[in-house]
Amino acid sequence: MNASLNGKLGHPNAWRADLGIYFRYIVMGWLVVILLAAIQLDFLYEAPFHPRFLIIPSLVGMVAGFFIARQKILSDEVRAKNMTFAALVEMAEEAAYLQNLDRSYRYISSAITDMTGYDVKTFYQTPNLFADLVYEEDFPKWLSYEKSVAAGRTPDAIEVRLTTKHKGLIWVRHVTRPIFDGKKIIGYSSTNAEITDQVNQANAMKELALKDPLTGLPNRRHLSSEADRLLKQDSDFCLVMMDLDRFKTINDSLGHSVGDLMLKKVRDRLELIAPYGSVISRFGGDEFVVILPDVTDEAKVEGLIESFLSAVERPMKLNGLNLHVSASFGWVFAPEDGRDVETLIRYADAAMHMAKQKQGVSCLRYAGHVDDHHQRLLLLENRLRKAVEERRIKPFYQPLFCARTGQLMGVECLARWRDEELGWVSPDEFIPLAETANLIGKLGDSILEHAIIIAKTLHESCAQKDVYFSVNASPYQLSEIGFVDNMKALLERHQLPARLLKIEVTESLFIGGNLQAINVLTELRNLGIGVALDDFGTGYSAFAVLKEGCIDMLKVDKSFVQNIAENEQEKALIAEIIQMAHIMNLQVVAEGVETDAQKAILTEAECDILQGYLLAKPMSEADFCPYMNCNGLEKERD
């Protein structure tokens, strides 16, 4: 690289290089002209040479040399600027080009080949080729942008897709600026950066933000956005909220993997039934929300909900298990029942929870009394959390008696709650709430330990030393790792013989042949702890549960007992249940015995143990101790 060009590229002594060029070319011009002049004079005139003959030629030579030097310097400056421009463009790794007014190319960077798959030569041969590569859906945006630039404006960059030769569709960020000579546009300069990865990542993040990762359905945020859009358009629609019944039991007893499969199966069934244009969302946990656009007829809504319910209630075969669930629904009309998303969702949720609380009701539309019920549920949950933390829910004790002799056989520990603000709260109200609010585990553990302490004191201080204590255990507790070890540790800590403790479970624990639950109960039996099947006949499993061999006691639900004195069929049915249980070496407890007639029939049918208000009501610890004639209990608790 010559000195002049080196100077134009930033050499600190560039002026010295220019001075040298001027000197060299002026001298060269002077010498050439002098030489030519001398030869010419010698050839034309034979007179002796005189220096005055060279004055004018010398001046001409020097001026010619000066102008040649000036041209050389200006040429080097142009070359230097072009080299600098090209180097900067190549270093930027962007596809850049310069165009004339007719859109033919004056300069194209080599990065254009990596971006489009077409070489630089092809671009030079094809005016405005870059525009031809713009994806057809984006071309109107491109054309509008280029017209704005041609008008002398400098709009912000646009993002468009290109149809490339080797990579298919790609995303680029395109910028074009007019080149001015004074106030006149003489061309255009453009830069293009590929942003495909950034766009894909942004789209993925957007999709993640709006979709439920498990089911792929729109999530709560997406649903709220869609409902808000419809409200702003003054569109009529129905919003239906669905909650799966007994899903928590399946999740707790069979594991989250089975629960996840069930949620996906529910998604598939809802998608098959929902009308075209509906938005199905997983709202969270086991809750789904469906938006039904342009649905304003109550009968149509109830028909669709009936279809949803039928689909959900069909048996599901998951991981080799045949599982059953049901669902509760609450729904609202928009904008009739609410003009904002939050209100609509709150009202639908309130209606759904009220439907869940009512026997034989699967769906409800929002009404004012529904909201009152929902407000109570919210208050109840807040109070319940505090009560569980502070152990304000106490065990009450209900004795169980031998049907034949009347001897005290056992005591069931029942959770009872008297709230300072709400008063007495029914177990039918707070136990399901404790399950849905994930409080049942802590509540159950508290009642269990309390019962063991009382049972130990009773065993040591009272004459009736072989009275067992039974405690309900939820599927959540039984699914916890180390449950059996914790039970063993509690018995050892309080030195209570294992035979004096029974764990009561419900049929829902055995949904789908729950092997984990069966193994846990078998381990409890091996420790000497009894296992009773509570509320027999109200669930799905019925006698199939008894075949597993992990049960030693059957508790017949009070719904089988209450009509046996008036209904011969029910009387015969309970006799058959007792007989079959005895064949399987199970003791039978009849719950809800309230009349002498019921007691007589059950005794005649050879029921082993009776429980009910006729014999003894649940008692607080303060009443239970005197009832047992066991002062040691009171002293121990003091």
Side-chain angles (χ1 to χ4, degrees):
M1 186 182 293
N2 61 47
S4 176
L5 187 55
N6 186 50
K8 301 305 176 289
L9 289 176
H11 196 283
N13 295 321
W15 63 273
R16 293 183 179 177
D18 291 346
L19 186 60
I21 292 174
Y22 279 119
F23 178 78
R24 184 167 64 252
Y25 278 89
I26 289 173
V27 171
M28 288 175 61
W30 178 75
L31 288 175
V32 169
V33 172
I34 290 297
L35 180 60
L36 290 174
I39 294 173
Q40 187 177 15
L41 287 172
D42 186 57
F43 179 78
L44 293 175
Y45 308 101
E46 295 182 359
F49 172 78
H50 194 281
R52 69 176 179 271
F53 297 145
L54 300 179
I55 294 175
I56 293 176
S58 296
L59 292 174
V60 172
M62 293 173 66
V63 170
F66 174 83
F67 281 111
I68 293 173
R70 181 60 181 165
Q71 180 62 33
K72 169 66 175 174
I73 291 171
L74 291 176
S75 176
D76 286 347
E77 286 179 352
V78 171
R79 287 181 59 201
K81 289 180 179 178
N82 287 339
M83 290 177 63
T84 302
F85 171 77
L88 290 174
V89 170
E90 297 298 334
M91 288 177 63
E93 299 183 352
E94 294 182 343
Y97 54 82
L98 300 178
Q99 289 180 296
N100 299 309
L101 290 178
D102 62 358
R103 295 295 182 173
S104 60
Y105 294 100
R106 294 170 55 187
Y107 170 81
I108 303 171
S109 68
S110 60
I112 203 81
T113 301
D114 294 333
M115 176 176 287
T116 67
Y118 295 93
D119 58 26
V120 172
K121 182 179 179 181
T122 303
F123 272 85
Y124 280 123
Q125 293 173 345
T126 313
N128 217 19
L129 174 59
F130 201 90
D132 295 338
L133 300 180
V134 175
Y135 187 54
E136 59 182 353
E137 291 183 7
D138 297 337
F139 191 76
K141 176 168 65 173
W142 167 278
L143 189 60
S144 175
Y145 181 85
E146 293 295 298
K147 286 182 178 179
S148 178
V149 174
R153 292 187 286 271
T154 56
D156 293 335
I158 59 170
E159 295 178 359
V160 295
R161 287 164 289 182
L162 295 184
T163 305
T164 66
K165 186 177 182 180
H166 60 320
K167 293 188 290 186
L169 279 181
I170 64 170
W171 280 94
V172 297
R173 180 176 289 111
H174 173 79
V175 179
T176 295
R177 292 289 180 262
I179 303 173
F180 290 94
D181 182 8
K183 294 185 178 181
K184 182 180 178 182
I185 298 177
I186 60 173
Y188 307 98
S189 65
S190 299
T191 58
N192 302 273
E194 184 175 352
I195 56 170
T196 305
D197 291 341
Q198 295 93 312
V199 171
N200 290 340
Q201 185 176 10
N203 289 338
M205 292 296 292
K206 182 178 179 181
E207 183 175 348
L208 185 63
L210 296 176
K211 283 194 174 181
D212 171 57
L214 174 64
T215 63
L217 292 173
N219 60 12
R220 180 182 303 209
R221 181 179 177 184
H222 189 170
L223 175 98
S224 298
S225 175
E226 179 64 17
D228 188 57
R229 183 184 68 82
L230 292 173
L231 286 168
K232 289 179 179 177
Q233 294 176 350
D234 291 326
S235 300
D236 294 327
F237 64 94
C238 178
L239 187 145
V240 180
M241 180 170 281
M242 181 190 81
D243 181 82
L244 297 178
D245 298 336
R246 300 174 54 253
F247 176 78
K248 180 172 173 53
T249 299
I250 292 172
N251 229 15
D252 291 343
S253 58
L254 300 182
H256 291 282
S257 60
V258 174
D260 290 348
L261 289 174
M262 177 169 285
L263 292 173
K264 292 178 181 178
K265 181 70 73 174
V266 170
R267 171 205 62 194
D268 294 341
R269 293 181 178 182
L270 291 179
E271 287 181 334
L272 285 174
I273 296 172
Y276 178 78
S278 302
V279 177
I280 304 172
S281 164
R282 184 187 175 203
F283 203 64
D286 59 348
E287 291 182 342
F288 293 80
V289 175
V290 183
I291 291 179
L292 304 169
D294 300 320
V295 175
T296 58
D297 181 67
E298 289 196 22
K300 184 174 182 179
V301 174
E302 291 174 353
L304 284 170
I305 289 176
E306 188 64 34
S307 299
F308 291 155
L309 181 61
S310 297
V312 170
E313 287 184 335
R314 291 203 313 270
M316 301 182 191
K317 190 166 186 178
L318 305 173
N319 282 3
L321 306 175
N322 285 313
L323 304 178
H324 303 259
V325 289
S326 188
S328 300
F329 298 82
W331 56 279
V332 292
F333 279 139
E336 180 179 341
D337 294 324
R339 293 187 172 274
D340 63 88
V341 177
E342 183 178 349
T343 298
L344 291 171
I345 290 175
R346 179 166 63 86
Y347 287 171
D349 183 66
M352 179 193 70
H353 277 92
M354 191 167 183
K356 187 180 284 287
Q357 296 293 321
K358 289 191 173 185
Q359 292 290 336
V361 176
S362 59
C363 72
L364 280 176
R365 181 187 174 185
Y366 167 78
H369 68 279
V370 171
D371 198 37
D372 293 339
H373 175 76
H374 193 242
Q375 292 298 324
R376 174 173 169 80
L377 282 181
L378 293 176
L379 174 61
L380 195 63
E381 181 175 339
N382 289 331
R383 302 293 297 175
L384 179 61
R385 288 187 182 278
K386 184 178 181 181
V388 171
E389 288 295 331
E390 298 177 355
R391 295 201 168 198
R392 292 182 177 272
I393 299 178
K394 302 296 184 181
F396 271 47
Y397 305 93
Q398 185 174 27
L400 291 80
F401 299 91
C402 175
R404 184 171 53 83
T405 67
Q407 178 184 353
L408 178 65
M409 302 296 292
V411 177
E412 181 175 2
C413 299
L414 303 164
R416 293 293 183 266
W417 177 28
R418 186 179 187 281
D419 183 75
E420 295 175 355
E421 182 178 339
L422 301 172
W424 286 104
V425 182
S426 169
D428 292 338
E429 190 173 16
F430 76 79
I431 293 297
L433 187 59
E435 291 176 346
T436 58
N438 292 322
L439 298 171
I440 194 67
K442 185 175 289 188
L443 173 59
D445 292 344
S446 173
I447 298 296
L448 174 62
E449 184 167 13
H450 202 116
I452 289 176
I453 293 172
I454 293 295
K456 168 63 167 52
T457 309
L458 178 68
H459 178 65
E460 290 182 344
S461 306
C462 297
Q464 303 181 73
K465 297 184 178 296
D466 290 331
V467 175
Y468 69 82
F469 276 63
S470 65
V471 182
N472 290 278
S474 69
Y476 175 85
Q477 289 174 276
L478 293 169
S479 67
E480 286 185 316
I481 297 175
F483 176 78
V484 175
D485 292 336
N486 290 339
M487 291 288 296
K488 183 178 180 181
L490 278 173
L491 293 174
E492 291 176 351
R493 185 189 313 151
H494 297 288
Q495 298 181 342
L496 178 70
R499 60 186 172 80
L500 299 182
L501 180 66
K502 283 191 185 293
I503 297 298
E504 295 191 13
V505 298
T506 59
E507 291 173 283
S508 62
L509 179 68
F510 300 92
I511 292 173
N514 187 347
L515 293 178
Q516 180 185 353
I518 293 170
N519 291 336
V520 169
L521 297 182
T522 301
E523 289 183 51
L524 292 176
R525 290 287 307 279
N526 291 339
L527 288 177
I529 298 171
V531 178
L533 182 61
D534 196 15
D535 300 331
F536 178 78
T538 61
Y540 289 92
S541 305
F543 278 103
V545 174
L546 308 181
K547 298 178 182 179
E548 303 297 345
C550 55
I551 304 294
D552 63 357
M553 178 177 283
L554 185 69
K555 299 190 73 173
V556 180
D557 187 70
K558 62 183 180 182
S559 61
F560 285 87
V561 174
Q562 59 188 7
N563 295 322
I564 58 174
E566 296 82 22
N567 189 308
E568 288 296 324
Q569 286 184 336
E570 294 193 18
K571 177 181 176 180
L573 175 61
I574 200 166
E576 290 292 333
I577 291 174
I578 293 170
Q579 183 179 0
M580 186 170 293
H582 285 164
I583 292 173
M584 303 178 75
N585 295 319
L586 301 176
Q587 280 191 310
V588 180
V589 178
E591 299 179 308
V593 180
E594 298 180 353
T595 68
D596 289 323
Q598 292 170 348
K599 177 184 176 182
I601 292 171
L602 291 166
T603 302
E604 183 182 354
E606 298 185 349
C607 182
D608 300 296
I609 298 173
L610 305 179
Q611 178 182 1
Y613 276 29
L614 175 67
L615 306 166
K617 295 180 180 180
M619 292 170 272
S620 67
E621 187 176 321
D623 294 328
F624 180 65
C625 296
Y627 177 87
M628 296 296 293
N629 294 320
C630 184
N631 294 329
L633 276 171
E634 294 175 305
K635 294 176 183 177
E636 180 73 18
R637 298 306 296 163
D638 289 341

